[in-house]
Amino acid sequence: MPAAHPVVPSLELAGGRSIPQLGYGVFKVEDDVAADVTLQALEAGYRHLDTAKVYGNEEGVGRAIREAGVPREELFVTTKLWNDAQGFDDAIAACEASLERLGLDYVDLYLVHWAVPSQGQYVEAWKALIELQKRGLVRTIGVSNYPAPQLAEIIEATGVVPAIHQIELHPYFQQRELREIHAQHGILTESWGPLGQGKSDLLENSVITDIAAAHGATPAQVVLAWHLAHDIVTIPKSVTPSRIVENLAAVELVLTSDEIAAIDELDRPDGRGGADPATKTA
Ligand code: NAD
C-alpha cells in the first residue's frame, strides 16, 4: 500500500474548475535539480506545481511529471508569461514554447508574470491570455503582480476578470487592499513568498513559534496554515526533502481564531520583500 498523502483542500476558480490550495513552487531551482525535487514533491502528494518561463526549469518540471506518472487530470500545472513577450503574438508563441518545454498539451493556469506598467502592454498581454484560453492551450487564466489600477484596467478593457491573482503575501505583508478588491470581483488570491522567502525573521517571530509549540507543529506549517485559513492559495518552495513533506502537512494544521488574529497583527507597512509591481521594469 502506498503511504497516505495529506488531503489538500481545493478552492473553486471562476469558471467552475478548482485549484489545490497548497502547491509546490520552483523559483530559483536549477532545471536539473527541478526534475528531482518536483518528482519528490509529487511523490509526497503535491498535485499543484508552480513554475514560470523565467525560472528556466519548465523542462525539468516536465520530466518530473512524466516520471511520476500521475494522471494528467489529477495535476494542476501553472506557468507564467515573461515580461519580454507581452505583445499579443509574442505571448501566444511564448505559451506554445512553454507547453513544448513542459511536454504538455495544456496548462491548468497561465499567468501574466508582472504587469510592468511602464511597458504599457499589460492589457495586450491579458488579451493574449484570453485568446489562449479560447484555443484550449490554457484552462484558466490569471495575472501576477498587477497593482490595483492595472488590475482594474484589464477588467474594464476586456470584461474578463482574472480567475486568480498571484502576489507577494505573507504575515509581514498581508495585502489587505488587494484582497478586498479580489473579494469584490470573485478573484482568488494566491500568495508567492508565503514563508517570507527566507528574507526576514518571520519564522523566528515569537507569535509564530509560540503557536507552533502549542500545536507541536513547525513555524513554516503555522504560517502556511494561516494562508489556508484565509482562503489563500499558496505555493511554498523548498528543495529540502524533509521540508517538502513538512510544508504539505500544513494542510492538517487547524489554527484557532485567536491564533489567526494574532498572526493578522503581524502585518507591517514596510513588509514587502520583493520588487514593487508598480515600479518593476522589464
Ligand atoms: P517562500 O516564501 O516559499 O520561501 C522559500 C524559502 O523558505 C526556501 O528557499 C527556504 O529557505 C525556506 N523554507 C521553505 N520551507 C521551509 C521550512 N519548512 N522551514 C524553514 N524554512 C523553509 O518563497 P518563494 O520560493 O520565493 O515563493 C514560493 C513560490 O512562489 C516560488 O517558488 C514561485 O513558484 C512563486 N513565486 C512567484 C513570484 C511571482 O512573481 N509571481 C515571485 C516569487 C515566487
Side-chain angles (χ1 to χ4, degrees):
M1 281 269 292
H5 296 138
V7 178
V8 178
S10 285
L11 294 179
E12 198 174 320
L13 291 155
R17 297 185 184 278
S18 62
I19 180 168
Q21 214 187 336
L22 194 139
Y24 181 65
V26 289
F27 180 42
K28 290 195 172 157
V29 182
E30 298 289 328
D31 194 55
D32 51 341
V33 179
D36 178 40
V37 293
T38 304
L39 181 60
Q40 290 185 44
L42 290 168
E43 286 173 347
Y46 290 83
R47 292 294 176 265
H48 168 183
L49 306 172
D50 184 274
T51 183
K53 192 269 174 183
V54 78
Y55 301 168
N57 55 26
E58 290 173 315
E59 287 181 7
V61 169
R63 280 200 299 281
I65 290 172
R66 285 188 294 285
E67 207 169 318
V70 176
R72 176 67 184 93
E73 61 276 13
E74 289 178 22
L75 289 177
F76 190 101
V77 181
T78 301
T79 193
K80 313 183 192 89
L81 174 70
W82 188 238
N83 306 340
D84 60 1
Q86 291 190 341
F88 189 89
D89 293 340
D90 287 349
I92 303 284
C95 181
E96 288 168 346
S98 280
L99 290 175
E100 179 84 30
R101 283 188 292 273
L102 284 159
L104 298 175
D105 299 331
Y106 68 91
V107 283
D108 298 274
L109 178 62
Y110 199 48
L111 302 174
V112 183
H113 206 143
W114 293 84
V116 196
S118 61
Q119 196 165 259
Q121 289 181 306
Y122 48 88
V123 175
E124 200 179 330
W126 183 236
K127 287 182 178 167
L129 265 61
I130 294 167
E131 175 64 21
L132 285 163
Q133 188 180 31
K134 281 196 192 123
R135 292 188 194 178
L137 273 64
V138 311
R139 292 275 156 94
T140 300
I141 53 175
V143 294
S144 179
N145 304 306
Y146 269 55
Q150 282 74 27
L151 186 61
E153 199 179 328
I154 60 168
I155 296 170
E156 174 70 26
T158 64
V160 179
V161 178
I164 199 160
H165 190 190
Q166 187 181 117
I167 51 177
E168 180 182 353
L169 197 165
H170 44 77
Y172 284 167
F173 191 62
Q174 298 188 16
Q175 298 265 28
R176 298 219 170 110
E177 193 188 324
L178 272 176
R179 282 161 63 197
E180 182 56 38
I181 293 169
H182 296 169
Q184 287 162 11
H185 287 285
I187 300 170
L188 281 186
T189 302
E190 179 171 25
S191 53
W192 66 255
L195 300 171
Q197 300 189 291
K199 287 181 180 171
S200 67
D201 66 353
L202 176 65
L203 299 182
E204 286 99 53
N205 185 296
S206 61
V207 171
I208 304 290
T209 55
D210 287 354
I211 296 170
H215 287 274
T218 67
Q221 288 174 329
V222 169
V223 171
L224 294 172
W226 172 85
H227 288 264
L228 300 175
H230 278 299
D231 289 338
I232 293 165
V233 177
T234 193
I235 43 173
K237 169 221 160 177
S238 176
V239 293
T240 308
S242 61
R243 286 176 171 177
I244 291 173
V245 171
E246 172 189 330
N247 292 347
L248 187 68
V251 298
E252 291 169 341
L253 174 59
V254 179
L255 303 177
T256 67
S257 50
D258 284 352
E259 290 167 341
I260 294 166
I263 301 173
D264 289 345
E265 292 295 313
L266 299 180
D267 200 16
R268 298 174 172 183
D270 61 347
R272 189 193 293 282
D276 183 345
T279 53
K280 164 94 174 164
T281 53

